[in-house]
Amino acid sequence: METIKLCNRYRVPMLPGVMTPTEAITALEAGCDVIKIFPGNIVGPAAISSFKGPLPQGEFMPSGGVDVDNVDKWINAGAYAVGTGSSLTKGAKTGDFAAVTAKAQEFVAAVAAARAK
């Protein structure tokens, strides 16, 4: 809570990770605008509607397990945004930064296609 308060004071975006509605309510009451569902691969896209049921005002962003092949499921489930890590940056481990750029372009296209539906 102290970290959230400090970030709010200085207008630093804060996306706390939650796995339960109680944690999501705590984050909303603390002033978080976007709440990270983490790890997303454990709860799956259906978690978005489960959270949105009692908390329709919440904006949720899954992180952990989000990749190009499933990003549409998250967006279609109502995700405000998505977070990704290793599936995006895999090429950087070997110095293949062009692969990171290409994967980012794939993500952008996949999100745009999902939102267009």
Side-chain angles (χ1 to χ4, degrees):
M1 289 300 291
E2 292 304 313
T3 301
I4 293 170
K5 288 178 188 177
L6 181 67
C7 289
N8 285 339
R9 180 181 305 140
Y10 294 104
R11 298 182 152 279
V12 174
M14 173 63 159
L15 289 80
V18 306
M19 283 191 70
T20 69
T22 300
E23 292 171 341
I25 289 168
T26 300
L28 286 170
E29 289 177 348
C32 292
D33 295 321
V34 179
I35 300 165
K36 178 172 58 174
I37 297 176
F38 181 80
N41 58 326
I42 290 177
V43 295
I48 300 288
S49 60
S50 295
F51 277 103
K52 284 262 191 197
L55 302 169
Q57 74 280 23
E59 298 292 2
F60 297 94
M61 180 192 89
S63 182
V66 177
D67 59 39
V68 170
D69 296 327
N70 67 16
V71 72
D72 62 324
K73 291 173 182 61
W74 287 103
I75 296 296
N76 293 331
Y80 174 78
V82 295
T84 186
S86 60
S87 66
L88 173 65
T89 61
K90 187 184 292 184
K93 290 182 181 180
T94 60
D96 186 0
F97 300 106
V100 176
T101 300
K103 186 59 72 174
Q105 291 168 337
E106 284 181 55
F107 263 104
V108 170
V111 169
R115 287 193 172 145
K117 288 183 181 180

